[in-house]
Amino acid sequence: MGNHISVADVEDHYPEQSWQRLVFADLKSTLTSTSRPFPCVFGASAIKSRQLRVAFVDPLTPDHLGPILREYITHARDYGRMTSLVVFARPGPVRDMKSYEDQLWTLLDGMERTDTTPRPPAIPAEIDHPNWEFCYAGEPIFVSCATPAHVLRASRRSATFMAVFQPRWIFKGIMDSDEPAVQRSLHNIRDRIMAYDAVPVFPYLGSYGNPEAREHVQYFIYDTNERPACPFHQLGQTNRPNEGEVA
């Protein structure tokens, strides 16, 4: 099952021809390429500054991922301003994209079912809401998924099923900033996406909290620009208490 480790420690933990080393090498080459720069400059900076944490979870189930994600969240602020947790599944035969999308949402649903920490009161449970976000261990987390089935949208391609968990606090001062330098960086990322992908920029990208935007449509983006359907009314339909209630 393993735990999360620094990107600097992958070579020390896994043999050269292990699947862990191979899928990580693919990610590292993607994020650090100089001939074909990855669109998200923040992701490239995070791996170079060793703020990314990685976990190779086999099998990738809520029971196995839960303790890893909880431990990561507990110490995330110690890893740096641009930290994220990158989770890899063991590689297998390439499947259709819908199968990978179902895998992501089944994983997130199971995570919320097994979470013992109340959802933050400011984050609604209803997915089709501008303020919804996946939450775990009391932390709102933006999730994105990359798969080997992605071809045209190269910015969402990976060697295996890969989910990236980003605490929402890392976006403060970036996604919600009107500073000219920040806005130039965001426009630059958009321009780089247009050059990187063989499909137009996903039209449903939006800022968190914007009444017209929804976070869930950005978690798993197809090679086409169709708007994903809302996968659930809400995740983890359990009797878990809300903040302030007694279980």
Side-chain angles (χ1 to χ4, degrees):
M1 178 176 61
N3 204 334
H4 65 85
I5 59 175
S6 167
V7 294
D9 296 331
V10 173
E11 292 183 3
D12 293 334
H13 278 72
Y14 300 101
E16 184 175 358
Q17 293 303 313
S18 64
W19 70 266
Q20 292 92 340
R21 285 279 294 275
L22 294 174
V23 298
F24 174 72
D26 180 79
L27 173 67
K28 183 177 180 180
S29 65
T30 296
L31 293 182
T32 60
S33 174
T34 55
S35 61
R36 183 167 158 75
F38 191 70
C40 182
V41 294
F42 302 113
S45 296
I47 195 169
K48 290 176 182 177
S49 61
R50 301 180 176 182
Q51 296 183 42
L52 287 186
R53 307 290 293 187
V54 294
F56 307 93
V57 188
D58 182 30
L60 181 52
T61 64
D63 287 342
H64 287 167
L65 178 57
I68 297 172
L69 183 57
R70 182 175 294 275
E71 203 278 339
Y72 166 76
I73 290 168
T74 300
H75 300 286
R77 284 177 169 81
D78 298 330
Y79 301 136
R81 180 66 175 78
M82 294 181 290
T83 187
S84 298
L85 175 65
V86 182
V87 175
F88 297 95
R90 176 185 284 272
V94 178
R95 311 192 306 268
D96 65 273
M97 205 168 291
K98 180 63 167 59
S99 173
Y100 288 113
E101 181 188 27
D102 290 345
Q103 181 179 0
L104 174 68
W105 284 106
T106 299
L107 179 66
L108 298 185
D109 183 56
M111 294 288 287
E112 287 219 15
R113 286 179 184 274
T114 58
D115 190 9
T116 57
T117 305
R119 170 176 281 269
I123 310 297
E126 180 187 355
I127 293 179
D128 191 18
H129 190 287
N131 292 325
W132 177 85
E133 195 78 274
F134 172 70
C135 295
Y136 196 78
E139 190 75 63
I141 305 169
F142 180 80
V143 184
S144 61
C145 186
T147 80
H150 284 85
V151 176
L152 299 179
R153 198 176 301 280
S155 58
R156 290 280 180 134
R157 190 211 66 82
S158 66
T160 188
F161 178 92
M162 182 181 81
V164 182
F165 294 83
Q166 298 176 284
R168 173 133 294 281
W169 54 260
I170 73 172
F171 299 107
K172 291 187 181 298
I174 299 176
M175 302 304 295
D176 58 356
S177 175
D178 292 326
E179 290 292 327
V182 174
Q183 288 301 309
R184 283 195 298 271
S185 294
L186 296 178
H187 284 300
N188 183 44
I189 289 173
R190 187 179 181 89
D191 290 343
R192 289 171 64 155
I193 291 175
M194 293 174 63
Y196 198 82
D197 291 343
V199 63
V201 175
F202 186 61
Y204 302 103
L205 297 177
S207 300
Y208 176 75
N210 183 321
E212 303 303 318
R214 295 293 186 272
E215 291 290 280
H216 76 87
V217 304
Q218 302 174 70
Y219 281 21
F220 192 101
I221 303 177
Y222 277 64
D223 267 358
T224 63
N225 274 329
E226 61 185 289
R227 188 181 191 277
C230 191
F232 297 90
H233 174 67
Q234 68 181 67
L235 296 178
Q237 300 273 348
T238 68
N239 295 321
R240 193 169 43 142
N242 292 320
E243 187 73 54
E245 295 181 349
V246 178

